Amino acid sequence: MKNSILFSSVTLTSALLIAACGDETTTAGIGGSGYVSSGTITGFGSIYVNGVKFETLGSTFDVDDNTSLNENDLAIGMRVVVKGSLNPDGVTGTASSVKYDEALQGPVTDLTTVDSTNLTFTTLGKTVHVSSTGTSFDGTSFGFGTIENKNNVEISGYFDSAVDLIATRIELKEKAFDPTTSKVEVTGTVTNIVGTSFNLIEFPNVTIDTSTTLIFDGLSAPSNGTLVEIEGKCTDISCTDIIAERVERESNELEDASQVEIEGIITRYADINDFEVNGILVDASTAQREPTTLVPSQDMLVEVEGLIVGDVLIASKIELEGGENKVAATATAANASTRTIELTPVTGQTIKVKIDTSTEIDDEKSGINNLDDLLIDLEATTNNFIRIEGYDDGSDTNTLIAKSLKREKEADDVILQGIVTAGTGTSTTITVLGIDFPVSVGTEYFDSDEITQLSQVEFFDTSNTQLGVSLIKIKDDLSDGLGTANKVELESD
């Protein structure tokens, strides 16, 4: 479905999926006595990964192969691998090591606006998906609205089954890519060696030239089937040819793991006891599901935790990450002690949002990166415009569990996305997430292609929209005051 982290198509090899978050190579041989958590950083104070607060005093840090660093060199949205221990409470632990490797670095080309909250671009022949709520950016001058073609960017994220990269963080390395001086990085599995050149299975349209490579780290020479990280320069901005300066063999970060928590996209789904996340085989047949209505499917972003048994992750819990519900509105109440806020998309009507340690935060207004500090600030201040992405917890149609929370610098269009539960071709309100959103003769209706305009009657024809089933997005640009929809759009499945 649009506007969420759900995409589909062919299967990616397990090697790249694990390499994308730092836990590289295939799943063969995993299983041991250690604890490993692989996922995005959602907050600091120490660091939060997969809903666990890890103390980092005494931890070692490896950021892009630089080990003389500390916690301050990490950022929200980075995909990391944490090794250490988990406390009995399940929400705190101690990190012995934290490792970060980007998924890609290269130039932005073919930048395309999908809609007001989603972009795509291409780098190294790979399609990158960017979300205004699900992608973090570095700095205050570089962000969703300012990314440009020819930017040289470092990307952290997840590969889906179409081998597209779903970006969780983008950092600007250079304003303008220069093929003669700009660095690119890519990780993949060696194939099709011809002389001193080869391809990567995951990047078939990119040719790696090692004829002038000075450093081969961890291997004497590339061989087919070896997982490697390439650093080098492109011959032009298309980056179909890379002149390698360094070729490094990647290792398996799950080699000594027995207990794991892994965040990633389901890239192959056969059944609840047979699917893959980040290339790891998962059996979730006896797992607790959150929400309880969760039905796993291919290209769904999830967090899975459990024990490694014979190279299979026997899940004790599987949790939905992201979510199809989205709200962008002013916060009219906040309670730091209960970790809740209330958003008001329509005057006099609120949605309660629950926030926990797994909620990824992005504060563009004040730059706060600690969850508790942000909640305290929301409670103490007014005029906070918040974007959240999450899911209905099943207890109340007006309550959402936030998987991401972004505080904007200033108010923007009000957005309400969820399953439509009431509305007709002649009604004056449309109900989504328990909010009766007013519509008028000026409200525009669109099919899921975002191009085909429909009348209100056509929109609510059962061949298009089914109450209790169809996902829709309501937009209010505030031009006529708070609380009247300017645009209603059917979201695709």
Side-chain angles (χ1 to χ4, degrees), residues 334 341 373-382 384 386 405 407:
I341 62 174
D373 290 346
L374 178 57
L375 286 167
I376 291 170
D377 194 66
L378 289 175
E379 185 177 36
T381 60
T382 59
N384 292 303
I386 305 294
L405 183 155
R407 179 164 65 167

Side-chain angles (χ1 to χ4, degrees), residues 74 78 84 97 107 117 120 124 189 201 218 244 268 277 320 329 364 379 394 401 403 411 416 430 447:
L74 300 171
M78 284 183 170
S97 66
T117 58
T120 64
L124 301 182
T189 310
I201 292 175
R268 181 188 64 82
V277 176
L320 177 66
E364 290 191 344
E379 185 177 36
I401 304 296
K403 301 310 295 182
L416 186 65
I430 300 174
D447 203 348

Side-chain angles (χ1 to χ4, degrees), residues 414-482:
V414 169
I415 300 291
L416 186 65
Q417 179 174 303
I419 300 298
V420 57
T421 54
T424 68
T426 59
S427 60
T428 58
T429 62
I430 300 174
T431 304
V432 173
L433 300 176
I435 301 296
D436 298 321
F437 216 112
V439 295
S440 70
V441 293
T443 301
E444 296 180 324
Y445 298 84
F446 289 86
D447 203 348
S448 58
D449 60 8
E450 301 181 6
I451 298 173
T452 304
Q453 190 164 354
L454 306 170
S455 68
Q456 185 174 350
V457 172
E458 290 170 331
F459 185 87
F460 281 101
D461 187 287
T462 55
S463 63
N464 291 318
T465 303
Q466 295 182 335
L467 299 182
V469 175
S470 297
L471 183 71
I472 71 169
K473 179 170 69 175
I474 300 173
K475 176 182 176 182
D476 177 7
D477 63 16
L478 304 181
S479 60
D480 50 3
L482 179 65

Side-chain angles (χ1 to χ4, degrees), residues 215-222 226-228 246-250:
I215 301 175
F216 288 92
D217 192 349
L219 70 171
S220 56
T226 303
L227 185 69
V228 295
R246 179 188 181 100
V247 180
E248 179 182 0
R249 184 178 187 132
E250 295 295 273

